[in-house]
Amino acid sequence: MVNLALSWQEAGISAACLAVAAVVATRSRRPGLVAAAGFARETAVVLALFGMWQLAGSFVLMGPEGAVDRGEWIWRVERAVHLPSETAVQLAFLPHPLMVQALNLYYAGLHFVVVIGCLIWVYVWHRRQYPRVRTTLVLFTAAALLVQFIPVAPPRMLPGDGMIDTALRYGQSVYGSVAGFNADQLSAMPSVHVGWSLLAALVIVEVSRSRWRWLALAYPVLTMLAVVVTANHYWLDGIAAALLLALALVVQRLSRTLYVRFGGRSRRDQPEDVRAPVFTPASTSSARWQATSRPGRTSRSAGTSVVQRSMANGQRG
């Protein structure tokens, strides 16, 4: 199977090339290239973030020995709170190979494509909302990376849960022909796939004015179904991702409120002589007159006034 996702090396190289191109285009001072530079710079930021996510997946703060134990603990908690069994959901899809293979492809690459498409849409048609969307994406992904440093085995690695690795069965595994027990596969908690899909859906609902925008909420629901059927995530992985996204939104809102409150207060507390000057027609005319009467520079009007004053003095004498 062709891996639809970028590796961290590919993402890093792409981000670096776009960043250099953005600098060159900005220095050209051509309007078209300057506009393209902004787009290239934002794309570089997202690719760099994605590369960090891919790279972080290969590192863990703890050894893989406790990954299965933590996965089994999540499984027991889900049963204790009476969440639906992931095994029962997967068994309902296994008799339909085409659907399972489609969900494997969905899990492998669609999440990244949709997030990039959503960012492009907001950047081009809703530029004012773009900084907030990008910041939310960065905050959520960074928080998810911190949690993923603690290894958790996905459901397909748990012994005795009855789930199978559907991507490995159909030769569609993004981890190679053999699903090994390595750090790159121990990032089950939380599900970045679910978090990104939920963010994209919320952005579409908030920014778009179409009456069909509410259909976007089906995207995170389908993503949650895909990660469960493919045995890559638990229900709680998606719930944790939603909570982290909510936390990122709250932090961003609080930071804006504090900035407006204390930033505006510090602005009012500044003495008047350090505030930005306000230029009026009178002050502009005065500045212009001073510029024309600098030492070493004599204008025609200044010379005429001198001659007129000399003639007046002569008449008086």
Side-chain angles (χ1 to χ4, degrees), residues 204-291:
I204 293 173
V205 169
E206 181 179 358
V207 174
S208 176
R209 292 296 175 264
S210 172
R211 61 179 179 177
W212 303 103
R213 66 185 185 276
W214 297 101
L215 293 177
L217 295 177
Y219 175 48
V221 175
L222 183 58
T223 301
M224 187 74 249
L225 178 65
V227 300
V228 168
V229 171
T230 57
N232 283 288
H233 289 283
Y234 309 92
W235 298 115
L236 285 180
D237 296 343
I239 295 174
L243 293 176
L244 283 180
L245 180 59
L247 179 61
L249 293 171
V250 170
V251 169
Q252 192 174 359
R253 182 180 293 273
L254 287 176
S255 63
R256 288 200 307 269
T257 302
L258 293 175
Y259 177 79
V260 171
R261 178 177 301 176
F262 295 102
R265 181 179 302 175
S266 61
R267 175 68 177 173
R268 290 192 300 269
D269 292 341
Q270 288 182 352
E272 294 185 1
D273 56 347
V274 300
R275 297 183 184 179
V278 178
F279 293 99
T280 62
S283 63
T284 306
S285 300
S286 176
R288 193 174 299 162
W289 180 85
Q290 293 176 1

Side-chain angles (χ1 to χ4, degrees), residues 173-197:
S173 177
V174 297
Y175 303 107
S177 59
V178 178
F181 197 80
N182 54 59
D184 194 31
Q185 303 185 55
L186 301 179
S187 302
M189 172 65 73
S191 173
V192 176
H193 292 70
V194 174
W196 283 1
S197 64

Side-chain angles (χ1 to χ4, degrees), residues 10 29-30 87 98 127 165 229 232 250 288 294:
E10 294 168 340
R29 300 186 182 278
R30 296 181 180 180
T87 305
L98 291 180
R127 185 71 59 84
D165 189 339
V229 171
N232 283 288
V250 170
R288 193 174 299 162
R294 292 175 183 170

Side-chain angles (χ1 to χ4, degrees), residues 20-314:
V20 172
V23 172
V24 174
T26 301
R27 293 186 175 181
S28 69
R29 300 186 182 278
R30 296 181 180 180
L33 291 179
V34 171
F39 179 79
R41 184 168 51 252
E42 295 298 334
T43 305
V45 171
V46 175
L47 284 174
L49 182 67
F50 180 79
M52 291 176 59
W53 174 53
Q54 293 283 69
L55 179 61
S58 60
F59 297 97
V60 290
L61 294 179
M62 306 179 190
E65 296 79 13
V68 172
D69 293 336
R70 283 182 281 274
E72 292 178 340
W73 180 84
I74 292 176
W75 184 271
R76 291 193 298 269
V77 170
E78 288 184 341
R79 305 292 80 79
V81 298
H82 304 290
L83 287 176
S85 171
E86 289 90 345
T87 305
V89 174
Q90 188 186 63
L91 288 175
F93 282 83
L94 289 180
H96 309 283
L98 291 180
M99 294 182 64
V100 174
Q101 293 177 55
L103 291 175
N104 287 336
L105 292 174
Y106 183 104
Y107 175 82
L110 190 61
H111 60 288
F112 186 56
V113 174
V114 173
V115 167
I116 291 296
C118 181
L119 290 174
I120 293 175
W121 172 67
V122 176
Y123 184 85
V124 174
W125 282 282
H126 305 278
R127 185 71 59 84
R128 293 182 60 185
Q129 286 84 2
Y130 179 82
R132 182 164 53 90
V133 174
R134 181 204 48 208
T135 303
T136 303
L137 176 66
V138 171
L139 289 175
F140 164 74
T141 306
L145 291 181
L146 292 176
V147 177
Q148 287 182 350
F149 278 125
I150 301 175
V152 177
R156 54 188 168 80
M157 290 185 178
L158 296 187
D161 65 355
M163 303 196 74
I164 65 171
D165 189 339
T166 59
L168 186 60
R169 166 176 285 191
Y170 294 103
Q172 297 175 303
S173 177
V174 297
Y175 303 107
S177 59
V178 178
F181 197 80
N182 54 59
D184 194 31
Q185 303 185 55
L186 301 179
S187 302
M189 172 65 73
S191 173
V192 176
H193 292 70
V194 174
W196 283 1
S197 64
L198 183 57
L199 174 60
L202 293 177
V203 168
I204 293 173
V205 169
E206 181 179 358
V207 174
S208 176
R209 292 296 175 264
S210 172
R211 61 179 179 177
W212 303 103
R213 66 185 185 276
W214 297 101
L215 293 177
L217 295 177
Y219 175 48
V221 175
L222 183 58
T223 301
M224 187 74 249
L225 178 65
V227 300
V228 168
V229 171
T230 57
N232 283 288
H233 289 283
Y234 309 92
W235 298 115
L236 285 180
D237 296 343
I239 295 174
L243 293 176
L244 283 180
L245 180 59
L247 179 61
L249 293 171
V250 170
V251 169
Q252 192 174 359
R253 182 180 293 273
L254 287 176
S255 63
R256 288 200 307 269
T257 302
L258 293 175
Y259 177 79
V260 171
R261 178 177 301 176
F262 295 102
R265 181 179 302 175
S266 61
R267 175 68 177 173
R268 290 192 300 269
D269 292 341
Q270 288 182 352
E272 294 185 1
D273 56 347
V274 300
R275 297 183 184 179
V278 178
F279 293 99
T280 62
S283 63
T284 306
S285 300
S286 176
R288 193 174 299 162
W289 180 85
Q290 293 176 1
T292 58
S293 59
R294 292 175 183 170
R297 295 181 59 186
T298 304
S299 64
R300 181 177 300 178
S301 59
T304 302
S305 62
V306 171
V307 173
Q308 290 175 350
R309 288 198 297 271
S310 298
M311 293 177 61
N313 293 332

